[in-house]
Amino acid sequence: MDDSDSRSRSDEGSDQETDLATILQYLIRSGQVQIISSTYDEDLCLGSRIPKIKHKPNTASLDKSEFALQTKQSSGLGLPRPKQQGSSLTSMLLNRERGMFTYDGFSSRERCKIGNRYLPNEMTVLARYGGKAFCGVYSQNGDYFISACQDRQIRLYKTEDGNFKLFNSIQARDVGWSVIDVAFSPDCNHFVYSSWSSALHLCSLTGDSNNQETLSLSPNDRRFCIFSVVFSSDGKDILGGANDRCLYVYDRECNQQSLRINAHEADVNTVAFADATSQILYSGGDDGLAKVWDRRTLSEANPKPVGYLAGHMDGITYIDSRGDGRHLITNSKDQSIKLWDIRVFSGSQAQSNTRRAVQDQTWDYRWQEVPRRLYNPKQKLEGDTSIMTYRGHSVLKTLVRCRFSPLVTTGQRYIYTGCGVGRVVIYDTLTGKIKRELPGHHACVRDVSWHPYRHEIVSSSWDGIVGHWTYSWRETHESDEDETDDSVRHCIPIIYTRGTHYDVGFDVGRTFSGIIHQFLNVAGPLNEEYLPVYESTEGRKVYEETLSCVKKRFPQYVQELQGTADGAGVPFYKLFLLHMDNITPNVVKNQSINGGGTGCSTICVNQHTEELLGHTEDALAELLNHFYFVSAHIVSDSPQGHWGVKEERFTSLCYAGHLPGYTMNYNHHGLVFSINTLSAKRLNSAKTPRHFITRALLSAENFEQAQKILRDDGCGAADGCSINMTFLRQEGDRLFHNAEMAPAEPGTHESQLNILTASPGENLFHCNNSEARMTALKQHTNPKNRQDVIEMLGDQTGTEYRVFQEFGDDDHVKTLAVGIFDCIERTWTIYADNPTKTEPLVVLPLILKKSCC
């Protein structure tokens, strides 16, 4: 059921009611009238976000399936190879030159494996229309692209060498709402289109608007539309699915309708052929069922499908066949895509469960918000025989389409789909996870098409834009090892840079552009909390007055952050929102932040022969693989900011897109410190966010200056954190300090500060918001040396919060890295995994000013 049709119709009523209904339907179809419910949220089709999907892909059935085995083989996963060969791109190229491959060059599977590292990620505008773009598909050979728009124009492009050249534009006939579907003939000489009309229209690619062949279908309904149309592999037949619940087959040789099958209990939204034989048909409709038909046994008098596929909870909007005669995918208004094997049909109980679930739906996908229960259903329907379910996109407004990625270039490893909130979404078929989210449109993306031989996707959106997606190295840096477990990282990149604040920021952004882009795409709090509040009037006010405050006190760090944004090619406001953390939602919504278990653990050992500061860097799981070292030397011509700093030199472990200073750090004055986040009940607008205070801390020359920076006299902190620190060059005995900085009290202009000090012979422990971690640490003997610290920082006792936080893939919080500063040896040891089980990743020397040595 597409945009202009109603969810249910009644044949009863007076002639007057029928006339009024007809008029209203015409006005709706023509776009002159739109029905809006009280819960309508226009932002849903203006690039907004969908709620957080809690769905964890269950691959149990998929992992055992023939589909998984075939896909792994065709996409180059698990290729047998000698151990010494390696599978990185550089290793594969080197070994090819050495003649170590079976073929003269790469096999098709090896080419897919390489190509899948460079999926489309950047959009350029191919065309901008005056109406909604409904359809856009490549021809089977990839030489042509056809686009249909609500302006009634069908545009044809030649696509040789990735260049789109418009060579024909045809005015569609008998269009009520829009051209609904288009399809190329297999020989690419003709195309067919459908609309709210009793006939299909067949055109030559090089023909004109006056040379269109009308293919009459003779439907029984006065209001009739073919929602989905496709050619058979030999081009002799055209298959269509219609709003009168029927399947139609038009015989081009006989020039007449050859078959009309009463197929579904509601609108037939989509049809497809199973394979090149064109004997097996698939259909899907608003009854939520997908049906499999065999043309050889079809009878108009007694139409019976050979099988049913049941499991969706709302109507099906699109079907795409894998082309192997066995597997297909279905897109649905229940906000999911399902993968099916037609050798396993669904029983009668499953069919009944689907019908009941569809009947229980009370929303209209054309103008209402998606019920949250559909985004995160508690369980799948009983009897669901699909082998995999994919969630993370939105089906709204129209019949959103999904497809398998091409066999030649990807091994059909991916499913890609349009989205009701302006994105193209690419799923990894083997994991169920989103591989790429491609935002770029401001309205629903209805159709998507992947070039059969090139890594190029075209998206057609209701914002009137046809987007052309290709790979850009600036957008994302793919892992060179596709089979590596992403749950643990064994390398941390580092940049050495010198210049002004803006120069340093730009270098960081340019160097780590891919990591920053990836993180912004997956950052849950940013996309689900900060950005929605930022878009409100109250949220924007909090943002602007906080930014104004920071510009007055620390303009150099705003310039540094702007440099990072410019270098990475990302919006500045997104990075600044990351640095505001929970300030905006807390102030606007009075939303209390529960930070239990989301922070780090620090151990300071101040013994005669050991002076150590050990730290676990814990953060939200999406930050795993999204951090790097920055070693910077900044020299300014004049004093900068509130503290008049002219020179800074430091090394810091940084989260992607963040300023240095908020994790583990040291500067050339000998300051060594780590940060533990504190969650305050009340945060402040128009105050200094903690990220900027800890960034300023990197300039401190002594403990007195450090205290002044943390107090931030004249403004005060907007939120809180704990700083564990010592100065390597301090005179007298070694002292470790724990400074807990809290937000400024109302009416005051200074942070609250509480300081604890560990003198020689004493130790100091700090765990962020977690009694469980502190209890675990206290079970160990009082630490006296490095090994004791390693054992404590690697502790994994506890059922919910652990010192080394690592349970599994579903962790909300993970330990990203472990660091140990040795104040006597003047080294910084970094572990990328549990220090009790791995060797250090790197040992960095703590390089200070000569006068400090």
Side-chain angles (χ1 to χ4, degrees), residues 349-596:
Q349 186 59 50
Q351 299 168 38
S352 298
N353 291 339
T354 289
R355 292 188 181 97
R356 188 178 305 111
V358 173
Q359 291 170 359
D360 288 343
Q361 301 298 338
T362 58
W363 73 295
D364 193 309
Y365 85 126
R366 292 168 298 169
W367 45 65
Q368 287 182 302
E369 293 183 18
V370 178
R372 288 185 175 269
R373 67 179 183 277
L374 288 181
Y375 281 124
N376 293 292
K378 295 181 179 179
Q379 57 187 12
K380 67 179 186 179
L381 288 180
E382 185 178 352
D384 180 355
T385 53
S386 63
I387 57 178
M388 191 62 195
T389 301
Y390 306 85
R391 293 187 179 276
H393 66 294
S394 173
V395 178
L396 276 173
K397 307 294 181 184
T398 183
L399 301 176
V400 175
R401 300 175 168 198
C402 66
R403 307 180 195 271
F404 286 102
S405 64
L407 176 63
V408 173
T409 54
T410 72
Q412 293 185 308
R413 175 158 175 196
Y414 305 106
I415 291 169
Y416 63 110
T417 179
C419 180
V421 295
R423 303 175 301 158
V424 177
V425 178
I426 303 175
Y427 292 98
D428 187 331
T429 60
L430 298 176
T431 66
K433 297 178 180 179
I434 292 177
K435 181 69 174 180
R436 283 282 178 277
E437 291 184 76
L438 306 178
H441 290 284
H442 302 292
C444 173
V445 176
R446 185 180 190 270
D447 204 358
V448 284
S449 185
W450 198 316
H451 192 280
Y453 304 110
R454 296 195 298 264
H455 272 320
E456 301 175 11
I457 296 174
V458 177
S459 53
S460 302
S461 171
W462 276 20
D463 59 9
I465 291 175
V466 177
H468 182 217
W469 298 86
T470 55
Y471 174 78
S472 169
W473 69 270
R474 279 183 57 85
E475 286 291 322
T476 179
H477 299 157
E478 287 297 322
S479 167
D480 209 23
E481 177 52 81
D482 200 21
E483 292 150 334
T484 296
D485 182 3
D486 286 337
S487 62
V488 176
R489 185 174 192 145
H490 296 289
C491 76
I492 305 174
I494 186 168
I495 179 176
Y496 295 92
T497 176
R498 178 166 57 188
T500 65
H501 286 278
Y502 180 86
D503 293 339
V504 167
F506 187 88
D507 284 344
V508 170
R510 178 178 56 183
T511 303
F512 300 119
S513 170
I515 296 177
I516 294 170
H517 273 271
Q518 289 174 355
F519 175 63
L520 293 183
N521 285 336
V522 301
L526 173 68
N527 293 305
E528 296 159 20
E529 298 176 37
Y530 308 161
L531 283 170
V533 178
Y534 166 80
E535 291 167 359
S536 68
T537 302
E538 299 85 352
R540 190 65 60 87
K541 178 177 180 293
V542 173
Y543 172 91
E544 294 294 348
E545 59 189 21
T546 302
L547 176 59
S548 177
C549 169
V550 177
K551 283 182 176 180
K552 291 177 182 177
R553 298 186 67 78
F554 301 112
Q556 74 273 32
Y557 301 141
V558 175
Q559 293 169 11
E560 190 175 318
L561 190 63
Q562 183 68 63
T564 301
D566 293 346
V570 299
F572 170 84
Y573 74 91
K574 288 189 177 182
L575 299 190
F576 193 78
L577 285 172
L578 288 175
H579 288 74
M580 289 180 68
D581 270 334
N582 294 303
I583 295 171
T584 310
N586 180 272
V587 173
V588 172
K589 298 182 177 181
N590 195 25
Q591 180 177 311
S592 179
I593 306 302
N594 178 16

Side-chain angles (χ1 to χ4, degrees), residues 5 81 84 154 176 352 395 409 412 429 431 536 712 733 803 805:
D5 197 22
R81 61 179 186 271
Q84 67 272 18
I154 299 175
S352 298
V395 178
T409 54
Q412 293 185 308
T429 60
T431 66
S536 68
D712 196 36
D733 294 332
V803 178
Q805 184 75 2

Side-chain angles (χ1 to χ4, degrees), residues 576-703:
F576 193 78
L577 285 172
L578 288 175
H579 288 74
M580 289 180 68
D581 270 334
N582 294 303
I583 295 171
T584 310
N586 180 272
V587 173
V588 172
K589 298 182 177 181
N590 195 25
Q591 180 177 311
S592 179
I593 306 302
N594 178 16
T598 60
C600 314
S601 303
T602 300
I603 302 170
C604 297
V605 175
N606 197 358
Q607 302 299 321
H608 177 64
T609 58
E610 299 279 0
E611 297 172 358
L612 307 169
L613 189 155
H615 180 79
T616 62
E617 188 55 46
D618 296 355
L620 297 178
E622 53 255 42
L623 272 162
L624 191 66
N625 302 324
H626 297 109
F627 55 96
Y628 40 77
F629 282 111
V630 172
S631 186
H633 186 192
I634 300 173
V635 180
S636 305
D637 293 335
S638 59
Q640 298 289 306
H642 183 69
W643 303 109
V645 179
K646 291 189 66 176
E647 181 185 19
E648 295 184 73
R649 196 164 192 168
F650 56 81
T651 299
S652 173
L653 184 68
C654 299
Y655 298 152
H658 289 69
L659 291 171
Y662 199 69
T663 60
M664 294 180 273
N665 324 264
Y666 86 92
N667 71 10
H668 69 160
H669 299 297
L671 170 62
V672 169
F673 68 98
S674 66
I675 303 295
N676 294 358
T677 297
L678 295 179
S679 299
K681 291 183 178 180
R682 177 191 51 78
L683 307 183
N684 296 322
S685 179
K687 298 291 185 182
T688 310
R690 58 195 174 202
H691 284 274
F692 289 91
I693 293 178
T694 57
R695 174 62 187 87
L697 193 59
L698 282 170
S699 68
E701 298 183 19
N702 50 58
F703 184 55

Side-chain angles (χ1 to χ4, degrees), residues 261-320:
I261 296 294
N262 194 347
H264 286 262
E265 299 169 18
D267 298 353
V268 181
N269 294 328
T270 178
V271 293
F273 286 105
D275 55 24
T277 66
S278 300
Q279 298 295 341
I280 303 299
L281 317 177
Y282 301 144
S283 66
D286 271 343
D287 56 9
L289 296 171
K291 297 185 180 183
V292 182
W293 311 83
D294 190 332
R295 293 180 65 185
R296 294 162 293 194
T297 62
L298 270 181
S299 165
E300 288 191 7
N302 187 26
K304 288 185 178 180
V306 295
Y308 294 79
L309 301 173
H312 281 299
M313 293 181 282
D314 209 337
I316 293 173
T317 65
Y318 199 72
I319 286 177
D320 190 45

